[in-house]
Amino acid sequence: MKAELEKVRLLLDRAQPDADEAIKVLNLLAEQGNEHWLIDHFLGIAHMVRASYEKAVVYFETSLIKHAENPHAYLQIAKCFNALSDFEQAERYGKAAIQLDQHLLEAWMFMGEIYQGRSDLEKAIQCFTIANKLDPKNHVIAYKLAGIYSEKGDLKKAMELYDIALHMQPNFEVARAEKDKLYTSFGRKSKPRGGKYIHLCFNHLYAKSLSDMLAFVNEEYDQQHLLFVESHWAIEEYKPDLSSNEHAAWFNHEYDFPAIINRCLDSDVDALFVHGLFFKWQKKLIKEIGSKKHIGWIIWGGDLYNPIKIKEPVVDIVKHIDSIHSLVEGDVEVFKKHYGDRPTFRFGYPYPGLYGDIPEVIESKGRPRIIVGNSGDYSNNHIEILEALRTKKDVRYYDILLPVSYNLLPEYEVAIHKWLKAAGMLGLVKLIKTFIEPDKYRALVDASEMLITAHNRQQAIGNMLLSLYSGNTTVLKKKITVGEKEQMNPTWEMLKKYGLGVSGFEEFRKAPSIRSFLKKAQPQKTRNQQIIMNEFGLETRAKDLVTSCRTIRERVTKKHAMVN
């Protein structure tokens, strides 16, 4: 009998099961007087293949008389009743299967589908969540959960789950198609009077503060702003938390690019904003959108200055840009000089650590600290700053910290280490190569004496504002070199225009000691804090964005009216 049962199992396990042949073998075994419970169980499965669900239930019930503790029989009966549209009985037998074996993955998935079919989505989520714990690497479970969240209207959560399914199974085309549909649906429920706008940003620290600001605008104004953040790391292993903004979602440019393009081109979108212009996907997107939508470029700094520095301005990209957005007037002048005139609007990020819950200041009890630069990028000119520090007679009383968690090339790290060794400063300087979360960076700044930068472009504004807010001496170049020509540093001019007490790197070079240069006066600190909160706070930045979008929408509407 063992051989015959194995033959039946193989017949029923085929891609196209042979139920008729299986039933012949099983009936012959029964006629020979065999009463093993598996005969009835397999007869039940064979009749399920033939869609004879009533007969199948009878055979499964018979098998349970002989072997009552078989959860698989209860599950098959549940499936039969589900096929017969008797959902109450399906639920009853599905629960019985789980009661006998709480680790029966198939039963939890079946019950999830039963509840989803009955529109009891919370219970469906509970079942599939338990299934996920039993088999965390099962891409089908992630896919099923995504579908339920999509049905609930939580498109953001659904996208995240489709991403998980696709990460586990990149060729899961059904999941990719469903995710593409969600991008089309994302943000479509409402039709705000003030218009709809799409923001495209890469995965960076400021994606979080951008998300927070857009959530505030969506809540307080008559505009809707959707945010799509590309998922590849700019800072290794850092992924900002966008959970507080229901209109923010991730995308992968390698797979989701067509869906993002289609969403940007939808008729309900008034304009789109590209945050920074560093990556090929950003440039490709701008070219593909072209003149079909208003495109605003949010200038970061390096995206403007670096192409000019290497004498390769991105003219082919900028010809599709309809407006530029920056707080730094000097950056606008550099743009106009190299690319011509464009409508200009104020835009700045609410800097992390300067809105929301501001951490309590903890005074440092160790050696005084100096922070040098804001990243590992060579444009920080770390060695130029270290050269200036080395000349100070009291430098050995300070710890010098270089936050270099992103954009640090191996050869540049070697160059810094080589210089430190030659200068005898290895024991004074520490390279911080792990990313510092905003609240921890804020605490680090609070516990420091000074921030020194020496970029030849607009950079590190957020770091400088944090330093000024903490009352620290904050150093940057008054003059910079752009395209081999010396000019005033736009960041210096901007901060001075607001009345913030920054110090010139040129003067710092000449100072005999660090201590003589420190200017940590409480009245200046209080004044800095008031200016920063008034001019760079979340509400101020949000108001600038709303005002810009109103003007852009009016111009776009007028342009369309003239064409028609």
Side-chain angles (χ1 to χ4, degrees), residues 148-420:
I148 297 169
Y149 277 102
S150 178
E151 196 173 334
K152 279 186 68 179
D154 190 344
L155 304 189
K156 182 175 176 178
K157 182 68 174 178
M159 284 182 182
E160 291 173 3
L161 286 160
Y162 281 131
D163 271 339
I164 291 170
L166 288 164
H167 180 74
M168 291 188 279
Q169 185 64 265
N171 296 322
F172 197 3
E173 294 304 326
V174 176
R176 192 167 304 288
E178 290 299 322
K179 186 187 175 193
D180 286 351
K181 290 179 187 176
L182 292 188
Y183 282 121
T184 303
S185 304
F186 198 70
R188 276 198 172 276
K189 284 186 178 180
S190 61
K191 294 182 178 180
R193 288 189 302 110
K196 191 171 291 186
Y197 309 90
I198 288 180
H199 298 255
L200 297 134
C201 190
F202 59 99
N203 180 357
H204 192 276
L205 172 65
Y206 287 128
K208 165 63 176 168
S209 57
L210 172 61
S211 176
D212 292 341
M213 179 175 72
L214 297 182
F216 176 81
V217 171
N218 290 339
E219 183 71 26
E220 299 294 329
Y221 293 90
D222 64 347
Q223 298 177 356
Q224 186 179 71
H225 292 258
L226 310 180
L227 171 62
F228 295 117
V229 181
E230 211 285 325
S231 56
H232 287 79
W233 290 335
I235 302 171
E236 189 171 355
E237 297 188 17
Y238 175 70
K239 189 173 183 179
D241 180 10
L242 309 180
S243 59
S244 62
N245 184 353
E246 64 175 311
H247 294 109
W250 295 94
F251 76 98
N252 183 318
H253 78 271
E254 294 175 359
Y255 304 114
D256 303 322
F257 193 78
I260 293 294
I261 289 285
N262 289 336
R263 186 66 186 98
C264 289
L265 290 173
D266 274 348
S267 59
D268 67 335
V269 176
D270 292 285
L272 58 109
F273 301 99
V274 180
H275 292 254
L277 198 50
F278 299 98
F279 300 98
K280 289 180 180 178
W281 68 262
Q282 293 172 311
K283 297 168 185 176
K284 181 182 177 184
L285 181 139
I286 290 171
K287 283 185 174 181
E288 290 205 19
I289 298 293
S291 61
K292 300 183 190 80
K293 291 287 180 183
H294 180 104
I295 302 174
W297 174 13
I298 312 293
I299 294 174
W300 276 50
D303 52 345
L304 173 65
Y305 288 87
N306 289 343
I308 294 169
K309 182 178 180 180
I310 61 174
K311 299 181 180 179
E312 294 181 7
V314 286
V315 177
D316 60 325
I317 306 299
V318 173
K319 70 180 182 180
H320 301 293
I321 297 296
D322 298 294
S323 59
I324 55 172
H325 302 253
S326 175
L327 289 179
V328 185
E329 292 178 5
D331 286 358
V332 174
E333 293 307 312
V334 170
F335 176 93
K336 289 181 177 180
K337 180 179 179 181
H338 292 273
Y339 296 113
D341 199 11
R342 291 292 192 287
T344 304
F345 299 94
R346 287 170 56 82
F347 181 91
Y349 298 96
Y351 295 102
L354 291 176
Y355 67 92
D357 295 329
I358 295 180
E360 182 182 352
V361 177
I362 301 173
E363 293 294 334
S364 173
K365 296 181 180 179
R367 283 159 54 90
R369 298 168 176 167
I370 296 172
I371 299 174
V372 170
N374 76 317
S375 76
D377 194 274
Y378 71 93
S379 65
N380 280 262
N381 294 318
H382 295 100
I383 293 175
E384 184 179 357
I385 297 171
L386 292 170
E387 286 274 16
L389 281 166
R390 183 173 63 164
T391 65
K392 310 307 175 208
K393 59 186 180 182
D394 54 352
V395 67
R396 298 197 176 273
Y397 296 107
Y398 291 84
D399 288 331
I400 301 167
L401 308 179
L402 278 61
V404 292
S405 63
Y406 66 98
N407 287 359
L408 178 64
L409 296 174
E411 54 267 33
Y412 185 54
E413 182 180 0
V414 170
I416 293 173
H417 184 84
K418 186 177 179 181
W419 185 92
L420 290 172

Side-chain angles (χ1 to χ4, degrees), residues 24 376 559:
K24 284 181 185 178
K559 181 180 177 182

Side-chain angles (χ1 to χ4, degrees), residues 23-35 39:
I23 289 171
K24 284 181 185 178
V25 176
L26 292 166
N27 283 339
L28 184 60
L29 285 173
E31 289 168 6
Q32 293 172 353
N34 294 298
E35 296 185 356
I39 295 172

Side-chain angles (χ1 to χ4, degrees), residues 81-131:
F81 280 121
N82 186 47
L84 293 166
S85 299
D86 189 341
F87 302 119
E88 287 186 11
Q89 287 289 74
E91 181 182 4
R92 175 190 162 205
Y93 278 91
K95 284 181 175 179
I98 289 171
Q99 194 169 5
L100 286 171
D101 184 359
Q102 294 190 1
H103 293 89
L104 186 57
L105 175 67
E106 190 181 358
W108 285 110
M109 292 181 70
F110 172 78
M111 290 301 295
E113 291 180 353
I114 285 288
Y115 288 126
Q116 185 179 7
R118 297 174 70 176
S119 297
D120 194 341
L121 300 183
E122 292 305 324
K123 283 187 179 178
I125 289 171
Q126 289 172 16
C127 290
F128 278 113
T129 301
I130 293 170

